[in-house]
Amino acid sequence: MYLTKEEEKTLNGENGPVLERMFRLLVRLGDIYGADKMIPVGSVQVAGVSYKSVGDPGTEFLEDMASKDAKVKVLTYLNPAGMDLENWKELGFPKDFAKNQLRIMDAFKKMGIVVTSTCTPYLAGNLPRFREHIAWSESSAVSFSNSVIGARTNREGGPSALAAALCGVTPNYGLHLWEKRQPTIHVKVDAELDFNSDFGALGYYIGKQVKNKIPYFSGIKYANTDQLKALGAAMAASGAVALYHVEDLTPEADLVEKKGLEKISVGKKEIKETYNKLNTGKKPDIVIFGCPHASLREISALANKLDGKKLKKPVWICTSRMVKEAAERMGYNEIITKAGGSIVADTCMVVSPIEKMGYKTTGVNSGKAANYLPGFCKQEVCFANIDDLVEAQL
Amino acid sequence: MKGRIISPGKAQGEAIVTTEPIGFYGGIDAKTGIVIEKGHPLEGKKVTNKILVFPCGKGSTVGSYVIYGLKKNNVAPAGIINKETETIVATGVILAGIPCIDQIDIDRIKDGDKITLDAEKGEVKID
């Protein structure tokens, strides 16, 4: 790989041990994947933020970097933390967990990272442009920025994204290259998709089928950004899909080569079977929306459904701090809280310790959450649309 | 068999093989090294000190930290062999220093095979 003189210096440790170690990781990845050079990144999004996911080894790793005065070179956002960073006590998050989580946040802040924790940075002030090179790691945000925005990023691991933030560059390979963004399988959809959960079910099914391929969808007549967010998130969780194209809906769909692709079909039957498969529980103890983090439109929809109602069991909707602020101004927070629900910011059900908070069965409308909750939170899952889930808690 | 070096080093051990991708985050417990993903063919099995053989990674990008955590907690596999290693697993094994090779025809490796993994030369031997 070609390195500039300055990059050679960094690799030789002339810019300090932290940059040397992090740049070495990028060079190694570049060598493995055949990168010709490093390219500057416009922004970074770092995963591996919750204490639950990084544990003590990760926490010590981050504190070590921060103590050596590591500083990021570009706009860098964080993935969700393991708790609401302001209301953790009221929501019942364990104290020892909170202590460790706050240590992690301090380390990130010291490095100059914006400590807004969200899996939807593009809804909270970190919005790349079409064809901009970025290094993001949250799998659903990678999928969204590649597919819906047309920015270019590989699926970075938490540490490789951090390395890109500190060095300001990423190796030029994979999805940074136009020829690697071409679809590798054609998915024909023949089903009415109404609820966001329908898109989650479709994504879960296709992710399982195509694993790490690049799907080109036809037959999806309409989808708003919330629904594309749900589709991409589920495919990235059940498979490793980092980029997809949708005929007439996503920016690169008209530009890519579609000839001669392997074809698969998905219809009502497969979607219905996926709903059945994801339903492992009977009645939810708690219902959690906002995986990935809810948009203002999704919060407003929930507020409409809860207006004047009284919940028997808890309902959370997870979102970024920025969107929660807007929801408060619009009075949605008050409506949801009055009904007995909560808008939870900075975190989500997958990375928070809900299994230690007394919950055994969680209701979700997200294919991604349904994929992770059984393994990581030891939850039984009720996978359904928003109407049925709200109904179950009244 | 010859492959591509992802993370250098040498390892020996018993193969634990799956044809399903592995998502380390939510898939393997970093404290115990036990596979926890519901319905995964390896569910309930321990990867510690084994040569872990799987086609490719999947799922959350936090997986790199789980691999690093497995190593720090002394429950990591001795080595990893993939058909295609993607960035999440690559970052994890490089940071953790776990020998790893990919571009290997993993169908030729059976559960319980004694494996010598030389990720200095990029070689996999079934003893």
Side-chain angles (χ1 to χ4, degrees), chain B residues 95-106:
Chain B
L95 212 64
I98 298 171
C100 176
I101 294 181
D102 81 338
Q103 295 177 351
I104 294 288
D105 179 9
I106 62 167

Side-chain angles (χ1 to χ4, degrees), chain A residues 32-33 53 137 155 173 372 376, chain B residues 4 25-26 59-61 85 87:
Chain A
I32 294 170
Y33 296 110
S53 25
S137 51
R155 283 160 53 88
Y173 71 93
Y372 284 131
F376 217 66
Chain B
R4 175 171 70 169
Y25 180 69
S60 170
T61 52
T85 308
T87 20

Side-chain angles (χ1 to χ4, degrees), chain A residues 21-22 25 28-29 32-33 47-48 53-54 57-58 61-62 137-139 155-160 162 173 208 211-212 236-240 350-351 372 374-376, chain B residues 4-8 19-21 24-28 36-38 56-62 64-66 68-69 72-73 84-88 90-91 94-95 102:
Chain A
R21 184 178 186 196
M22 290 287 102
L25 173 64
R28 183 86 203 105
L29 290 172
I32 294 170
Y33 296 110
S53 25
V54 302
F61 172 78
L62 294 168
S137 51
E138 148 59 26
S139 56
R155 283 160 53 88
E156 299 292 341
S160 68
L162 189 58
Y173 71 93
K208 281 269 180 214
K211 300 193 170 91
N212 57 359
S238 68
V350 179
V351 297
Y372 284 131
F376 217 66
Chain B
R4 175 171 70 169
I5 302 164
I6 299 293
S7 169
T19 54
E20 277 291 304
F24 281 81
Y25 180 69
I28 298 189
I36 51 173
E37 183 183 330
K38 285 259 184 294
C56 59
K58 66 164 183 178
S60 170
T61 52
V62 178
S64 306
Y65 277 116
V66 176
Y68 180 73
K72 284 276 164 184
N73 293 326
E84 186 76 37
T85 308
E86 40 63 72
T87 20
I88 313 312
T91 301
I94 292 169
L95 212 64
D102 81 338

Side-chain angles (χ1 to χ4, degrees), chain B residues 1 114-118 123-127:
Chain B
M1 287 184 275
K114 293 270 182 296
I115 302 286
T116 305
L117 176 67
D118 185 342
E123 283 175 359
V124 173
K125 267 189 218 150
I126 306 172
D127 301 335

Side-chain angles (χ1 to χ4, degrees), chain A residues 46-91:
Chain A
V46 173
V49 177
S50 171
Y51 175 65
K52 182 171 156 176
S53 25
V54 302
D56 290 325
T59 307
E60 283 153 25
F61 172 78
L62 294 168
E63 284 186 329
D64 179 52
M65 306 258 289
S67 73
K68 289 176 180 145
D69 280 335
K71 289 275 184 289
V72 298
K73 290 199 172 70
V74 294
L75 178 69
T76 303
Y77 267 46
L78 289 176
N79 227 20
M83 62 184 195
D84 188 308
L85 295 169
E86 290 176 21
N87 293 338
W88 57 269
K89 248 183 234 157
E90 292 80 350
L91 290 162

Side-chain angles (χ1 to χ4, degrees), chain A residues 73 83 105 142 164 280 335 350 389:
Chain A
K73 290 199 172 70
M83 62 184 195
M105 302 317 287
V142 164
T280 53
I335 294 169
V350 179
L389 288 171

Side-chain angles (χ1 to χ4, degrees), chain A residues 131-146:
Chain A
R131 289 180 179 152
E132 184 167 31
H133 295 286
I134 57 177
W136 284 19
S137 51
E138 148 59 26
S139 56
S140 76
V142 164
S143 168
F144 192 93
S145 56
N146 270 325

